[in-house]
Amino acid sequence: MDFYQQQQTARRSSRLLILLYLAGVVALGILSSLWLSLLLIPLKLLFAAPTSDLFSLPHFLFMSGLIMLLCLIISYARYHSLKRGGWHVAKALGASRLALTANSLKDQQFRNVVEEMALASGLPVPALFVQEQEQSINSFAAGMGIQDAVIVVTRGALEALDRDELQAMVAHEFSHIRHGDIRLNLQLAAAMTGLLVIAELAEQLDRPIQHQTSDQFWPEKTHRHANPLHSGCYLIGYGGVFFSELIKAAVNRQRETLADAAAVQFTRNPRALASALKKVAGHPYASLIFHPASRSFSHLFFAQGLDSTFAGALATHPPLAERIRALEPDWNGQYIRNLLPMQPNDYRELADTPVQQRRGSAIDGSPSSRILAAPPAAMTLDLDAPQEWLPQIPAPLITAAHQLQEAQSVLYSLLISSDLVIRHRQFSLLPNPREVEALTCYPLSAPLRLGLVELCLPTLQRLDSQQYAMFTDRLHQLIHADGEENLFEWLLSRLIDHQLAPCFSRIPPSNSMVRNIEQLGAEIQQVANWMAHHCTNTPAAAEAFFTALSAQLPLPLSRETTVDLDAIGNALSRLQQAAPRIKLQFIHALSDAMAWDGKVSDVEFTLFRVLALCLDCPVPPPQPGQGAAIPPH
């Protein structure tokens, strides 16, 4: 199932969610109104008032409407709060952001695995969080879209899973991000808040009673002081819990199965995911999440997060045994139990070791020898195995990309010109020219330069608004220090603006989605001409490119000889308003057109990747091969 089909499924699930939610709110309002009416009978009898007034239709409808309005207001307020981004959900569940400098090898392994899966799935690198207080094996992804997505894992998962198992769990979460599940899940969490409000009230009423008892595990002691208000809250709250579990099961179960399948697609390793699920079943804490807010968000988790919930058809997740058997049909039914603490040598494998150390050779420390070294030859990158080529980025650059100040210097270094006059002018604009100059000593091919940019972007999300404004202002000055803007500079500026600007300024979403591809003919013509201009060397090659592209799109396209970057920027802004189906159709058509000659150059790779990211269309670039490289500055 492709990206567009998954988006369609998500929209159908959203409509089902709305219907079930409204049914739950109506039922909750009616039950609450009936209970309040019964609760007021003793008062009416005490004051000799006729009890028939309690059951009059206007009173009943007023109380029902008031309670339903309260549920809707609470759900809306919760949704408005969750719209701030996935980080808000992570904080609500007690997670802390992974430090820029990893404190342990396990934390570094988690970062490495996420970066690899981001590149394999065609997504930007999300922000990373860890639930330090949770010792179970679990994880979740959250956010309103690709740009503000986060991935959260428990400390227990980091300690218990080996690298392949952790990668499979992370790939499962990337499937939720890629297919739009995270937005649906936040809508579901907001709906649950309204339905669970009375159940949470019952828990609040119960809490002081429990503190007065000597043993919370004796029900007769806990509830002997219960009053009608407390009992009614429990009864109606249980109805809210039932409807919430019904909605979660209706929306969530199939998407968990699809996420398992996508994780196998990303990792090509079904046994790793099966092994992770076996460890969940055999772990002392299983997948239980003990944070008080876990009930509203239980459908987000990799595995069942609650210690008491509905089972069978009303469970939010398929049974672990069912998920394992789908991955391993020959499974013998044995789980992995009695986990022992892992030694550093058990999880510090080759892929997490800097490439220089792996080769076992020292690096020549001479800056002149490095700066004069020829750029590496164009590589054939296997995008399904980024762990094989991501370590080819020099270790100092990887380290700098994960530091807040150094990440800015990394991006500055990519803009430093080889012309000595312009270079001197650019260094005079920087507060730390020596640091930036040191980072220019590592020549990279275009795909690796783009990969390095993507590693820096999550780090730069931690800037405050003033720091971000200063950073973008310096970028603009460096780009225009020579009085012009080349292709790489334009792509870098566009990507940074698209990925980071929403983190620092509220950009209202456009309500005018374009659903007819013919309405975007002029914009597609502009972008196609831009791609052909940079991806072909001869008029014949450009004609072949347009022939291959026109065969995939129902539009009359023709080659033009001029390219205007301002017009391209406006065309991309317009294409961002296109429906997901149109974006996917255009991206796939470009991919096929680029592969017409049997190879993909570094330029094509870079243009395609940036275009897919800017259109929020998670499609990995075609495989790059030998071809023209983007010229250095």
Side-chain angles (χ1 to χ4, degrees), residues 262-271 384:
V264 173
Q265 177 186 356
F266 291 151
T267 63
R268 301 294 194 269
N269 190 356
R271 295 195 178 275
D384 290 330

Side-chain angles (χ1 to χ4, degrees), residues 23 59 93 97 109 161 221 227 236 308 324 351 358 361 371 383 418 448 453 461 468 470 491 512 516 568 592:
H59 288 173
L93 286 166
R97 192 156 187 174
Q109 180 176 266
L161 302 181
K221 290 184 181 180
N227 52 54
I236 298 175
S308 60
I324 295 171
R358 218 185 303 161
S361 59
I371 198 168
L383 293 171
S418 58
L448 292 184
V453 171
Q461 291 177 1
Y468 175 71
M470 294 176 60
L491 291 173
S512 56
N516 187 348
I568 299 300
D592 292 342

